[in-house]
């Protein structure tokens, strides 16, 4: 981890109709850092991830990746959307793994990983095949590269989705509740892959309700409440010494996993 900011969000706002979902988010993610967003459903966690990855357009504020404004430029004092070509180039620098696996059912695991490499990065099929094989091996699925999604378990499909995202060599990797659609016995295999990526220095911004995993893997934890950051800090500070009443209540839902936090509530 370095002190160099990779992602910097300043006063980010987002509304859907009359409902303001993000109410001025300020967040910095440094290179090599793992930052986790926690909070109740509807607190704005996924919306923020989608704004970072340009799947949603933020209404105000600024999001920078490597100092480069994402999605927009201020031209003559007016906020203007970048061209689709520039937006696509920015998206290619940010990988995202979703709750649902979003694999193409008519493509094998290997072909799912290769697709972005050939279509977006312009790599030859031979090079893409080699890269896909490497990353499928890294997530423990080298022998499944010729299998179709229906031939894979949910955990295996999610590991293919992770391999697909990482193979693109993104500057930042986003995870949105990637274990929520899995049976409990399959969760550990996916979390193990994510932990290995974190140990390898991948910069990650993740949303998860796997609190023990969040505490173990994160450098920084951010608690969102109703579209605002209510508390943030080191995992030990957030989980053991929650200063915010809403955070204490939220942690209390996890059945005593964090003893002092539950006692404080």
């Amino acid at each position: 981890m370095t002190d160099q900011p990779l992602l910097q969000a300043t006063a980010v706002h987002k509304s859907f109709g009359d409902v303001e979902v993000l109410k001025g988010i300020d967040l910095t993610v440094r290179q090599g850092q793992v930052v986790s967003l926690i909070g109740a459903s509807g607190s704005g966690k996924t919306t923020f991830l989608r704004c970072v990855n340009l799947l949603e357009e933020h209404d105000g504020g600024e999001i920078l990746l490597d100092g480069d404004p994402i999605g927009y430029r201020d031209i003559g004092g007016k906020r203007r959307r970048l061209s689709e070509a520039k937006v696509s180039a920015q998206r290619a620098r940010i990988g995202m793994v979703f709750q649902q696996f979003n694999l193409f059912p008519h493509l094998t695991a290997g072909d799912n990983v290769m697709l972005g490499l050939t279509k977006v990065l312009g790599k030859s099929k031979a090079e893409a095949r080699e890269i896909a094989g490497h990353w499928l091996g890294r997530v423990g699925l080298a022998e499944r590269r010729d299998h179709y999604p229906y031939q894979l378990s949910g955990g295996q499909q999610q590991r293919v989705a992770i391999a697909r995202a990482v193979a693109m060599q993104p500057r930042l990797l986003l995870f949105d509740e990637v274990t929520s659609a899995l049976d409990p016995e399959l969760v550990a295999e996916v979390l193990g892959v994510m932990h290995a990526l974190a140990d390898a220095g991948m910069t990650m911004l993740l949303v998860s309700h796997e609190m023990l995993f969040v505490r173990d893997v994160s450098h920084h934890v951010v608690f969102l409440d109703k579209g605002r950051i209510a508390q943030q800090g080191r995992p030990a500070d957030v989980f053991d010494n929650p200063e915010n009443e809403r955070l204490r209540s939220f942690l209390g839902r996890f059945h005593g996993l964090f003893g002092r936090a539950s006692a404080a509530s």
Side-chain angles (χ1 to χ4, degrees):
M1 185 173 60
T2 72
D3 289 333
Q4 182 68 32
L6 178 64
L7 178 76
Q8 196 155 22
T10 305
V12 174
H13 288 259
K14 174 64 182 178
S15 296
F16 294 101
D18 295 332
V19 179
E20 190 176 21
V21 179
L22 300 178
K23 303 174 182 178
I25 301 296
D26 296 319
L27 180 65
T28 298
V29 180
R30 304 192 183 282
Q31 188 168 335
Q33 193 176 35
V34 178
V35 175
S36 294
L37 306 179
I38 64 172
S41 297
S43 59
K45 308 181 302 296
T46 292
T47 297
F48 181 71
L49 285 192
R50 291 175 65 86
C51 287
V52 170
N53 202 32
L54 297 169
L55 296 176
E56 296 286 354
E57 298 185 7
H58 54 289
D59 302 320
E62 189 174 54
I63 302 174
L64 305 178
L65 181 69
D66 284 322
D68 185 26
I70 291 177
Y72 301 90
R73 287 288 188 278
D74 190 327
I75 301 175
K78 294 185 178 180
R79 187 167 175 262
R80 299 192 182 278
R81 171 88 171 176
L82 296 177
S83 69
E84 285 307 310
K86 290 182 179 178
V87 167
S88 295
Q90 290 183 332
R91 270 203 195 102
R93 296 158 61 193
I94 304 171
M96 188 163 181
V97 185
F98 300 86
Q99 296 179 32
Q100 302 299 325
F101 321 126
N102 292 341
L103 300 180
F104 291 102
H106 64 290
L107 298 179
T108 65
D111 288 341
N112 265 282
V113 178
M114 288 175 58
L115 188 63
L117 295 169
T118 56
K119 298 296 186 183
V120 178
L121 299 186
K123 295 186 180 297
S124 68
K125 286 189 176 181
E127 185 179 6
R129 188 174 296 110
E130 182 178 350
I131 294 171
H134 168 77
W135 282 109
L136 286 171
R138 286 284 298 271
V139 301
L141 293 175
E143 75 284 1
R144 297 285 193 271
R145 67 173 300 156
D146 294 325
H147 286 58
Y148 289 90
Y150 76 90
Q151 297 173 307
L152 303 173
S153 70
Q156 289 171 335
Q157 290 184 62
Q158 193 60 289
R159 283 189 279 155
V160 173
I162 293 172
R164 178 178 60 184
V166 180
M168 298 290 288
Q169 294 186 308
R171 294 285 290 144
L172 174 67
L173 195 53
L174 310 177
F175 292 90
D176 183 21
E177 291 284 11
V178 297
T179 60
S180 65
L182 299 177
D183 292 333
E185 64 268 22
L186 302 178
V187 169
E189 65 185 60
V190 174
L191 295 182
V193 170
M194 293 171 65
H195 212 306
L197 291 173
D199 289 344
M202 173 66 70
T203 308
M204 297 162 55
L205 178 61
L206 62 96
V207 170
S208 179
H209 279 105
E210 301 287 344
M211 292 296 111
L212 290 176
F213 174 74
V214 166
R215 177 170 181 152
D216 184 45
V217 78
S218 303
H219 298 102
H220 193 78
V221 178
V222 178
F223 173 64
L224 284 179
D225 180 43
K226 297 180 180 178
R228 291 188 172 91
I229 295 177
Q231 186 172 333
Q232 62 180 313
R234 297 178 307 162
D237 295 332
V238 170
F239 289 112
D240 293 342
N241 299 295
E243 300 171 357
N244 181 275
E245 177 61 33
R246 295 279 294 178
L247 175 57
R248 289 196 293 270
S249 176
F250 174 77
L251 293 177
R253 303 175 190 179
F254 292 92
H255 307 294
L257 285 178
F258 309 104
R260 278 184 283 177
S262 298
S265 64

